[in-house]
Amino acid sequence: MSTDEVYVFRPFKLIALFCVFIALALDVVALLSPAWVTSEHYSLSLWEACRQSTDVWHCLSTLKTDWQVATLVLILTAATITLLSFLVSLISFCLGTYRRYYRIVAVLLFAAVVLQVCALILYPIKFIDSSMLRSYHEFNWGYGLGWGSAIFMLGAAILYCLRTDIYEDAYY
């Protein structure tokens, strides 16, 4: 690069890579969260349902009902796709071949968003429909982290769709 040339660095792809990392981290924490639905003496996660009776918590697996297994499979699949897209994005960014794979990463992330949103819509509908808890309950931070992960996945997918390279060549 000579002294007359100007290079404009637009960090959209780096920000997108960071968003995918945050989405993956939020997804892992949401999967491991013990609190998706809570009430005074009840806690429900993706893996187990716990009830408190006289200072002792009794937990049972939630993998017996089909809608909870479907939710878990959808979120695990979305997390796996997010991990794959993160690895492809990271490797292509480090090797400098980033333009070739960004469209693939964007499509993978849009697919992960669809799976994640389907799981996050299915979960409260089937929870309320099954009437597991007849008292006051609230969807807790584990469920919220699932939505946060979906938002970061969507943001990263949109950033990977931006084509800033074709506009830079026309000006410089």
Side-chain angles (χ1 to χ4, degrees), residues 105-137:
V105 171
V107 169
L108 285 173
L109 286 172
F110 280 125
V113 167
V114 168
L115 291 173
Q116 185 96 358
V117 168
C118 285
L120 293 171
I121 291 173
L122 171 75
Y123 191 82
I125 289 173
K126 294 306 286 183
F127 174 79
I128 292 169
D129 186 43
S130 67
S131 300
M132 294 179 66
L133 199 58
R134 288 180 171 72
S135 65
Y136 172 76
H137 63 275

Side-chain angles (χ1 to χ4, degrees), residues 24-40:
L24 186 61
L26 289 175
D27 229 0
V28 168
V29 174
L31 278 166
L32 298 176
S33 167
W36 272 56
V37 178
T38 56
S39 72
E40 189 174 340

Side-chain angles (χ1 to χ4, degrees), residues 6-167:
V6 176
Y7 180 71
V8 177
F9 178 69
R10 294 195 172 119
F12 294 126
K13 307 309 183 208
L14 187 61
I15 293 170
L17 180 65
F18 187 65
C19 285
V20 173
F21 177 74
I22 291 173
L24 186 61
L26 289 175
D27 229 0
V28 168
V29 174
L31 278 166
L32 298 176
S33 167
W36 272 56
V37 178
T38 56
S39 72
E40 189 174 340
H41 300 290
Y42 184 80
S43 176
L44 177 69
S45 71
L46 290 175
W47 304 99
E48 60 186 7
C50 298
R51 289 190 183 276
Q52 182 184 22
S53 60
T54 64
D55 298 336
V56 178
W57 285 89
H58 301 284
C59 297
L60 299 170
S61 174
T62 59
L63 301 179
K64 295 175 184 166
T65 57
D66 56 350
W67 65 270
Q68 289 174 319
V69 172
T71 302
L72 185 61
V73 167
L74 286 170
I75 291 178
L76 281 172
T77 306
T80 304
I81 292 172
T82 306
L83 176 64
L84 178 67
S85 62
F86 174 72
L87 292 175
V88 169
S89 174
L90 182 67
I91 291 169
S92 64
F93 188 81
C94 290
L95 293 178
T97 59
Y98 48 89
R99 291 183 183 151
R100 190 177 311 161
Y101 298 108
Y102 281 162
R103 190 159 296 191
I104 295 168
V105 171
V107 169
L108 285 173
L109 286 172
F110 280 125
V113 167
V114 168
L115 291 173
Q116 185 96 358
V117 168
C118 285
L120 293 171
I121 291 173
L122 171 75
Y123 191 82
I125 289 173
K126 294 306 286 183
F127 174 79
I128 292 169
D129 186 43
S130 67
S131 300
M132 294 179 66
L133 199 58
R134 288 180 171 72
S135 65
Y136 172 76
H137 63 275
E138 58 187 30
F139 291 94
N140 216 325
W141 59 272
Y143 181 72
L145 289 177
W147 278 109
S149 175
I151 290 169
F152 274 101
M153 281 183 225
L154 181 63
I158 291 170
L159 286 174
Y160 279 126
C161 287
L162 295 178
R163 297 273 322 252
T164 58
D165 56 335
I166 59 174
Y167 301 115

